[in-house]
Amino acid sequence: MVEHKDCSTTEKIAMDGLRVSGNLALMEVADRSYAGERLSRMLGELAEAGVNMNLFIGGETKEEIRFACCVAASDEAHIKALMDPNPEFRTGVELSPAVDQLTLFPHRSELKILGLGLTALARARIPLRGFCSSLSAITFVTDHTDLDQAIAALEGCFGLAAETCGSPC
């Protein structure tokens, strides 16, 4: 079991639960050329193809546009069909099949909870493909092969509600 110095097996931080969303693919893009209209066109094309994103993380610096999105693994073929005839949409794009999202639902919003989750996963040597937080949820994206170990790492730090649901949720 993985513990953080602020977490012990007898006194875990209470969470409202953990939702596991599996059977996903991760599309990552890192290229300055996606600024403005190109990104909008790509997202519009994905929407027209019926590709739903259950997570979108994005950012921009002077050097690059970077975003990642999780889609149903079954949509990977739609994405490839969109990219193959459009070289502009292939630039800087990487598709990774077989990822999972682990979403914690804290009772209260504390920045410390995100840090503890990151530390628990790092100590368990779980590679993260992405993460994000909001007032009501903290989401980690991992490779599917690391799912059981990632859940165990988070359980070592957080008291999860009895219901942990897998995909589909």
Side-chain angles (χ1 to χ4, degrees), residues 20-25 54 71-73 99-101 144 147 165-169:
V20 177
S21 303
N23 200 21
L24 301 172
N54 61 350
V71 300
V99 299
D100 296 309
Q101 287 177 208
H144 180 70
L147 177 63
C165 108
S167 182
C169 267

Side-chain angles (χ1 to χ4, degrees), residues 13 15-16 59 62 65 79 100 103 106 116 118 146:
I13 298 172
M15 295 287 126
D16 284 335
K62 288 182 180 180
I65 301 285
I79 293 169
D100 296 309
T103 303
L116 292 175
L118 290 170
D146 297 319

Side-chain angles (χ1 to χ4, degrees), residues 12-74:
K12 297 178 183 180
I13 298 172
M15 295 287 126
D16 284 335
L18 172 70
R19 181 180 65 212
V20 177
S21 303
N23 200 21
L24 301 172
L26 179 68
M27 184 173 97
E28 296 177 283
V29 177
D31 193 285
R32 185 74 198 145
S33 65
Y34 280 90
E37 185 182 321
R38 188 176 197 183
L39 175 59
S40 296
R41 268 197 342 267
M42 178 187 230
L43 294 176
E45 293 280 343
L46 291 171
E48 282 182 30
V51 175
N52 292 315
M53 295 177 208
N54 61 350
L55 177 69
F56 182 92
I57 304 168
E60 180 178 1
T61 66
K62 288 182 180 180
E63 291 80 35
E64 70 182 356
I65 301 285
R66 178 176 286 276
F67 68 88
C69 58
C70 287
V71 300
S74 59

